[in-house]
Amino acid sequence: MATANFQARIERINRAHEGLAPARAKTPIRALRSQPVPMSTRRAGRKRLSIFDHMQSMALGSVLGCIVAVLLTGLASENSPWGPGTDLNEMLFLPALAGLALAPILMLVSLFLASKRPGFALFSLSYLSGLVITMLI
């Protein structure tokens, strides 16, 4: 019922357009397809990702950066359990320095991978930010 009324309306519109501009040949208005157009015929556009799609990687990078910064500040502090002269200091010294050296390496790698993997770029940026901000506090 609704389809017949819709088709009749399309025919009336086409007849009205034919009477208005006979000098110019217009193509008649056709009804839209009821089935969706397959993806192969659509234009392939780049999907813009929201920053909120990568909140998990940003949070993980910030937390890991803060942990490394706390380890580094504790290595130099006399009052910390892993301070100078303790057994934990010797055990945590190299991993903490490796975590510090990892930040610029992650940023350099993310320069090349940012367009393909935006989550990794945001992770490395938040890792560096968490590390630097916690070290400054």
Side-chain angles (χ1 to χ4, degrees):
M1 176 80 180
T3 307
N5 288 338
F6 181 70
Q7 294 296 335
R9 186 171 181 187
I10 294 291
E11 289 175 19
R12 280 183 285 166
I13 291 171
N14 286 335
R15 277 185 269 141
H17 281 299
E18 289 172 1
L20 290 177
R24 209 168 71 176
K26 286 191 171 184
T27 59
I29 297 174
R30 285 181 261 147
L32 297 175
R33 287 191 248 174
S34 61
Q35 297 175 350
V37 179
M39 285 297 287
S40 60
T41 58
R42 284 190 219 165
R43 231 186 258 176
R46 183 174 176 193
K47 181 184 172 191
R48 294 285 177 179
L49 295 175
S50 171
I51 196 166
F52 296 111
D53 293 343
H54 303 288
M55 286 298 281
Q56 186 177 10
S57 62
M58 290 173 58
L60 181 65
S62 298
V63 168
L64 290 177
C66 291
I67 289 172
V68 171
V70 168
L71 284 175
L72 287 169
T73 54
L75 289 175
S77 176
E78 296 280 335
N79 299 330
S80 71
W82 57 89
T86 62
D87 291 334
L88 285 175
N89 186 313
E90 296 171 5
M91 190 178 0
L92 295 176
F93 183 74
L94 288 177
L97 286 182
L100 178 64
L102 185 66
I105 294 170
L106 283 175
M107 287 305 297
L108 289 174
V109 170
S110 70
L111 286 175
F112 298 110
L113 298 178
S115 63
K116 295 177 185 173
R117 302 196 183 270
F120 178 72
L122 291 171
F123 168 79
S124 60
L125 180 65
S126 60
Y127 180 81
L128 181 65
S129 301
L131 183 78
V132 170
I133 291 171
T134 308
M135 291 285 284
L136 290 176
I137 293 177

